[in-house]
Amino acid sequence: MKRDKSIAWHRIDTASLHLKEWKVAVVGGTGGLGRAISRVLASRGASVTVVGQTFRDSGVPGIEFIQADLSLMREAERVAKALPAEKLDLVVFTTGIFAAPKRQETAEGIERDMAVSYLSRLVILREIAPRLGKDRPAALMKPRVFIMGFPGTGQAGTLDDLNAEKSYVAMPVHMNTVAGNEMLVLDAAKRYSSATFFGLNPGLIKTNIRDNFFGKDTLKSRIMETIIGLMTPSPETYAERLAPLLVSPDLEAYSGAMFNQTGFAVLPTPRLTDSSYVSAFLAASEALVARANVRVS
Ligand SMILES: NC(=O)c1ccc[n+]([C@@H]2O[C@H](COP(=O)([O-])OP(=O)(O)OC[C@H]3O[C@@H](n4cnc5c(N)ncnc54)[C@H](OP(=O)(O)O)[C@@H]3O)[C@@H](O)[C@H]2O)c1
């Protein structure tokens, strides 16, 4: 990843954030990094709606829950319509899994990692983006969306077999989700001027994200996650560090920017600055979503 030194923001302490007026949705806020971010924002006064399968923060002031299985495009569409987008100041997408060693397919016929980690976000983003923040009379900033993935790492994906039907290898399939998420940021920054869009690259952090790849609670998984845990920040430390970035007024002019684990801006993947390639990849993604009878506009 290469730093983008043209983008800077003023860092402040998370403890000095006053977020009482902030209305936030964290899609994937029930676990891992999304959960840590939700808890930090709520602790500073924000009202946070988390979307996921299993709610782990009942009783935590400021956190509400929408349950959904986002491997299904119909569910993503339902959640998007249920979200109070007009009132939201901030949306963070952290939903994700890792491609399994053997191809898994959802009931809608879509490869599971693509469905959960990328296409559900495409469906939700396109439905809510035009409505975002329209009903916030006193807002000082545009509504903003952060899409977490692995942007800026040179992954451009391959668009000829997005559903991995011709061949299936876990890593390239996951890299298609990585590329797709970076493209969502770059494309949305051009498509919608009424909101701002940013990418987040958390780097390696110990969570459940690799369960599907290494096998949940296997020895391999425990060894790998212990090593990652020893060498990297905890989800809580990452969230504490990132919270001021998420609400910083300094980002207003930088829609399309990506940020690394420590909150420094990084340059996008060079291939993804080619908007005709991005359009083709997104068109293929929309066609895959259409198999579930969900239309992305
Ligand atoms: N951790 C890392 O080292 C790392 C590295 C690079 C990028 N990232 C990116 O960071 C983001 C967050 O990952 P993480 O590490 O926080 O992963 P995580 O701990 O596994 O959390 C993933 C979140 O996605 C939700 N989710 C998974 N399947 C779902 C489904 N079918 N329907 C609805 N929600 C579902 C989970 O909710 P439930 O638990 O309720 O199912 C959870 O809230 C992902 O985009 C990931 O690619 C992480």
Side-chain angles (χ1 to χ4, degrees):
M1 267 184 294
K2 284 206 182 112
R3 285 268 305 275
D4 181 350
K5 294 193 176 153
S6 68
I7 299 177
W9 60 283
H10 177 65
R11 289 175 190 253
I12 57 167
D13 246 18
T14 298
S16 66
L17 294 175
H18 299 286
L19 304 179
K20 206 165 173 304
E21 309 302 327
W22 282 74
K23 303 235 174 317
V24 181
V26 183
V27 184
T30 50
L33 306 181
R35 181 179 179 210
I37 288 171
S38 303
R39 289 172 62 98
V40 169
L41 296 177
S43 76
R44 302 309 313 153
S47 305
V48 184
T49 301
V50 297
V51 182
Q53 298 179 104
T54 312
F55 192 37
R56 300 176 178 91
D57 290 308
S58 60
V60 176
I63 303 188
E64 282 177 19
F65 175 50
I66 297 179
Q67 183 170 29
D69 175 1
L70 294 175
S71 68
L72 299 171
M73 300 302 107
R74 300 293 280 267
E75 278 284 274
E77 188 181 45
R78 176 184 67 80
V79 164
K81 289 187 172 146
L83 283 171
E86 291 80 357
K87 295 205 182 307
L88 292 175
D89 302 289
L90 166 66
V91 180
V92 186
F93 286 94
T94 58
T95 349
I97 56 169
F98 210 97
K102 283 210 175 109
R103 186 177 184 278
Q104 297 175 326
E105 193 174 274
T106 68
E108 293 172 336
I110 300 179
E111 191 284 320
R112 196 156 82 100
D113 190 16
M114 284 295 282
V116 176
S117 309
Y118 164 53
L119 296 172
S120 68
R121 297 168 172 204
L122 169 66
V123 170
I124 297 173
L125 184 72
R126 290 286 183 81
E127 204 284 335
I128 64 171
R131 297 192 283 127
L132 269 180
K134 293 266 187 273
D135 186 9
R136 305 173 310 150
L140 298 173
M141 290 185 261
K142 288 180 183 180
R144 48 179 58 181
V145 178
F146 285 83
I147 298 179
M148 193 178 281
F150 214 50
T153 51
Q155 298 299 333
T158 43
L159 61 78
D160 61 327
D161 185 24
L162 285 188
N163 205 24
E165 287 163 314
K166 291 183 205 152
S167 75
Y168 180 85
V169 181
M171 199 51 95
V173 166
H174 190 65
M175 289 310 144
N176 262 347
T177 76
V178 165
N181 277 301
E182 183 167 345
M183 287 186 243
L184 286 185
V185 175
L186 297 169
D187 177 73
K190 288 189 185 151
R191 195 180 282 261
Y192 309 105
S193 57
S194 55
T196 49
F197 300 86
F198 306 98
L200 291 176
N201 185 332
L204 272 185
I205 298 181
K206 182 180 187 292
T207 63
N208 297 324
I209 190 80
R210 284 160 289 268
D211 276 359
N212 210 31
F213 187 62
F214 290 130
K216 196 171 163 54
D217 291 330
T218 58
L219 181 63
K220 196 167 164 191
S221 166
R222 285 208 297 274
I223 292 171
M224 287 309 294
E225 294 302 327
T226 303
I227 294 170
I228 292 171
L230 287 172
M231 295 172 61
T232 59
S234 67
E236 291 71 26
T237 304
Y238 172 71
E240 192 83 20
R241 192 188 277 161
L242 260 278
L245 171 76
L246 301 181
V247 298
S248 171
D250 302 345
L251 301 193
E252 199 69 355
Y254 298 123
S255 189
M258 323 272 167
F259 297 91
N260 70 10
Q261 189 180 73
T262 46
F264 287 108
V266 293
L267 290 168
T269 293
R271 175 96 170 91
L272 302 186
T273 53
D274 170 358
S275 51
S276 62
Y277 175 72
V278 171
S279 299
F281 193 99
L282 290 174
S285 307
E286 289 165 21
L288 189 47
V289 170
R291 289 201 198 178
N293 287 326
V294 169
R295 216 174 63 82
V296 174
S297 55

